[in-house]
């Protein structure tokens, strides 16, 4: 299986300008190839093959006066750039035909010099890790690396990224053998919350860490400062760099924290069940900020990757499963629960529920039920009902929900509606 390992790179000034030139050339090759494919589409012609494209926008283009400078950089990252375009088209077609799950992927777009993230990929032919720990990149030279951990095997490719904060990273793809962990009988359901980061069915609550909030405060301050600077001024450029650095700081801190959290959950549990939240869909709505800050997408990805590597299971319960409406005790299906309802009492059995913990227990039961029905198979919508719901007369209420702990709409910093 493939794993990614990332670390910081520290190119010299000379290497930085070589990299900048290569970023530019790779972008031009990508855009030229995209233009060729778009023209073919417009003219109703079949798409040119990878070989034809390569001939046209790299080998052939080098001989023309407008593109002769392509010869001044290594050819490997240029070929990889074409592969990226190919992959972008493949993702688009797979997404349209629903072969690819998740958010719809759009057609590839032109890349810009102003994009906040620049990247280059080198195949096995284009790089080497030196015995002294430096990273040799073809036509760039030996670049200093700060290794966060040793690579477990020879990497098959490396992507060099320049982020908006002006930092260079190397992301190695390494093919590794799975490392199954000793089996444990424990299984857990996880409800991803808004107040806290997550609530586990065993009752533990994972709070958003304070250091992350601190980093976010710093980011907000930097953003306010940026908003005050006059457009086009040198101070504005400085303030923008500061915002980018603060962003990068928040992202790094969150990633480290999520790695520790997911490693712990995977180590302790044989199976982990989650709700399939439409993170992309939510991201466009009003909850956008808290959703992105919470890093749910990254959380799920890390869990899935670690589970695959360590012989654990991650089950995803379909988003139509009413995890917050069902009573985990008796299976009664209650009415909808707006986000501000943090606690409720089951009208059928009288059990008092913390909203998130009850949801986590339902997710655990649904995931387990579905895994029994289809071992190893995907969790299907509707297939996952933990208990049969008891019929309840319409209008019957065994008791009013407790008033304690119910916050007024909009209170507590959670945007409601
Ligand atoms: Zn109940």
């Amino acid at each position: 299986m493939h794993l990614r390992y990332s670390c910081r790179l520290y190119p010299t000034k000379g290497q930085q300008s070589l990299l900048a030139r290569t970023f530019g050339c790779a972008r031009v090759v990508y855009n030229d190839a995209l233009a060729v494919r778009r023209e073919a589409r417009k003219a109703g012609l079949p798409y040119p093959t990878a070989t034809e494209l390569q001939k046209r926008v790299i080998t052939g283009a080098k001989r023309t006066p407008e593109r002769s400078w392509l010869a001044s950089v290594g050819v490997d990252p240029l070929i990889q750039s074409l592969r990226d375009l190919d992959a972008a088209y493949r993702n688009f077609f797979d997404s349209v035909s629903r072969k690819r799950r998740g958010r719809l992927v759009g057609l590839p777009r032109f890349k810009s010099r102003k994009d906040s993230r620049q990247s280059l990929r080198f195949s096995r032919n284009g790089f080497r890790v030196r015995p002294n720990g430096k990273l040799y990149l073809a036509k760039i030279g030996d670049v200093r690396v700060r290794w966060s951990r040793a690579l477990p095997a020879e990497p098959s490719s490396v992507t060099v990224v320049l982020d908006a904060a002006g930092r260079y990273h190397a992301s190695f793809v390494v093919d590794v053998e799975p490392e199954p962990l000793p089996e444990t009988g424990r299984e857990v359901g996880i409800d991803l919350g808004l107040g806290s980061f997550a609530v586990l069915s065993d009752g533990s609550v994972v709070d958003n860490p304070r250091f992350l909030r601190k980093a976010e405060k710093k980011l907000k301050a930097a953003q306010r400062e940026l908003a005050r600077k006059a457009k086009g001024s040198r101070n504005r450029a400085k303030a923008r760099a500061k915002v980018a650095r603060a962003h990068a700081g928040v992202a790094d801190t969150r990633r480290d924290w999520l790695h520790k959290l997911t490693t712990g959950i995977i180590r302790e549990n044989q199976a982990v069940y989650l709700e399939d939240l439409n993170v992309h869909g939510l991201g466009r709505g009003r909850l956008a900020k808290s959703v992105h800050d919470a890093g749910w997408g990254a959380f799920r990805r890390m869990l899935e990757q670690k589970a695959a590597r360590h012989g654990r299971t991650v089950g995803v319960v379909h988003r139509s499963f009413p995890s917050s409406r069902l009573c985990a005790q008796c299976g009664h299906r209650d009415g909808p629960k707006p986000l501000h309802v943090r606690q409720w009492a089951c009208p059928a059995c009288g059990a008092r529920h913390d909203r998130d913990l009850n949801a986590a227990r339902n997710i655990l039961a649904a995931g387990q039920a579905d895994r029994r029905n289809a071992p190893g198979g995907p969790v299907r919508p509707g297939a996952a009902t933990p208990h049969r719901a008891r019929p309840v007369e319409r209008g019957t209420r065994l008791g009013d929900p407790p008033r304690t702990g119910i916050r007024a709409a909009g209170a507590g910093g959670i945007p409601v509606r």
Side-chain angles (χ1 to χ4, degrees):
M1 59 185 301
H2 294 295
L3 286 183
R4 275 190 181 277
Y5 284 78
S6 291
C7 50
R8 283 284 292 276
L9 284 183
Y10 298 93
T12 62
K13 280 267 177 288
Q15 290 169 340
Q16 286 178 25
S17 66
L18 287 171
L19 280 168
R21 186 187 300 176
T22 319
F23 284 133
C25 289
R27 189 175 58 238
V28 165
V29 163
Y30 185 95
N31 287 345
D32 284 355
L34 178 54
V36 169
R37 288 192 72 158
R38 281 191 180 182
E39 277 162 27
R41 186 192 164 91
K42 236 189 240 162
L45 297 168
Y47 281 136
T49 64
T51 337
E52 280 167 17
L53 264 183
Q54 189 174 326
K55 252 187 218 155
R56 211 159 140 189
V57 302
I58 303 178
T59 353
K62 277 182 188 174
R63 287 189 222 107
T64 66
E66 308 85 69
R67 293 281 186 265
S68 58
W69 35 264
L70 287 178
S72 67
V73 302
V75 73
D76 182 57
L78 304 185
I79 294 172
Q80 301 310 316
S81 188
L82 284 187
R83 296 230 168 108
D84 288 346
L85 177 66
D86 226 40
Y89 267 105
R90 216 170 323 117
N91 288 342
F92 165 72
F93 289 121
D94 285 353
S95 175
V96 169
S97 64
R98 297 317 280 160
K99 237 199 279 174
R100 185 190 158 99
R101 287 180 51 216
R103 176 178 61 134
L104 273 176
V105 176
L107 269 165
R109 274 180 281 190
F110 287 112
K111 291 189 176 182
S112 161
R113 192 166 47 87
K114 289 180 181 159
D115 289 346
S116 59
R117 183 180 178 277
Q118 307 276 337
S119 71
L120 283 177
R121 197 171 65 249
F122 294 81
S123 75
R124 221 183 278 268
N125 308 321
F127 77 99
R128 194 159 309 133
V129 179
R130 301 278 196 207
N132 65 8
K134 287 195 171 182
L135 173 65
Y136 165 77
L137 297 171
K139 294 241 192 174
I140 306 284
D142 287 349
V143 183
R144 197 160 70 81
V145 184
R146 194 182 67 202
W147 296 98
S148 40
R149 48 195 163 154
L151 297 177
E154 192 78 12
S156 58
S157 77
V158 63
T159 303
V160 175
V161 176
L162 170 61
D163 70 15
R167 306 177 309 172
Y168 292 84
H169 301 263
S171 174
F172 294 93
V173 173
V174 185
D175 198 11
V176 295
E177 291 297 316
E179 286 172 28
L181 284 167
E183 286 209 15
T184 146
R186 289 180 60 174
E187 304 202 342
V188 74
I190 303 180
D191 180 63
L192 297 168
L194 287 168
S196 50
F197 178 79
V199 174
L200 276 57
S201 56
D202 61 11
S204 46
V205 176
V206 182
D207 272 318
N208 283 306
R210 199 180 298 158
F211 56 78
L212 200 52
R213 299 212 166 160
K214 226 165 155 187
E216 278 164 2
K217 249 184 214 159
K218 221 165 151 186
L219 171 61
K220 271 183 205 140
Q223 277 166 335
R224 272 197 299 275
E225 205 178 310
L226 172 62
R228 280 200 299 270
K229 303 288 186 233
K231 264 196 183 147
S233 70
R234 180 175 296 204
N235 278 332
R236 188 179 172 87
K238 269 194 213 159
R240 189 179 303 120
K242 207 168 164 186
V243 167
R245 275 198 304 276
H247 259 300
V250 169
D252 286 0
T253 314
R254 183 188 301 129
R255 194 178 313 116
D256 288 350
W257 176 72
L258 283 173
H259 266 303
K260 284 195 193 108
L261 177 64
T262 51
T263 298
I265 292 173
I266 289 295
R267 188 174 299 138
E268 285 164 23
N269 296 284
Q270 192 63 36
V272 179
Y273 303 103
L274 300 166
E275 220 170 353
D276 179 18
L277 286 158
N278 183 1
V279 174
H280 286 293
L282 277 173
R284 280 191 289 271
R286 282 167 199 262
L287 293 171
K289 196 172 168 354
S290 46
V291 169
H292 286 306
D293 285 358
W296 292 346
F299 176 71
R300 178 173 157 185
R301 249 190 334 274
M302 285 183 191
L303 281 178
E304 286 173 340
Q305 283 168 3
K306 289 174 189 181
R309 186 166 188 210
H310 298 300
R312 304 301 208 209
T313 303
V314 173
V316 178
V317 175
H318 194 268
R319 71 180 74 111
S320 65
F321 175 67
S323 62
S324 58
R325 292 190 195 188
L326 290 175
C327 168
Q329 198 105 318
C330 73
H332 165 71
R333 183 178 175 147
D334 208 36
K337 303 269 174 285
L339 283 172
H340 67 272
V341 177
R342 307 311 305 164
Q343 298 187 2
W344 58 286
C346 173
C349 73
R352 300 202 157 189
H353 292 304
D354 169 86
R355 176 206 182 91
D356 296 339
L357 178 56
N358 178 64
R361 287 183 177 151
N362 281 329
I363 289 166
L364 171 63
Q368 287 175 329
D370 205 79
R371 208 173 149 210
R372 274 195 302 276
N373 293 341
V379 176
R380 293 176 309 276
T385 313
H387 309 281
R388 184 178 298 176
R390 274 194 218 157
V392 173
E393 268 178 65
R394 195 177 288 273
T396 309
R397 286 288 180 275
L398 299 180
D400 287 317
R403 300 197 73 81
T404 43
I406 299 178
R407 271 180 274 170
I414 303 166
V416 179
R417 291 191 306 118

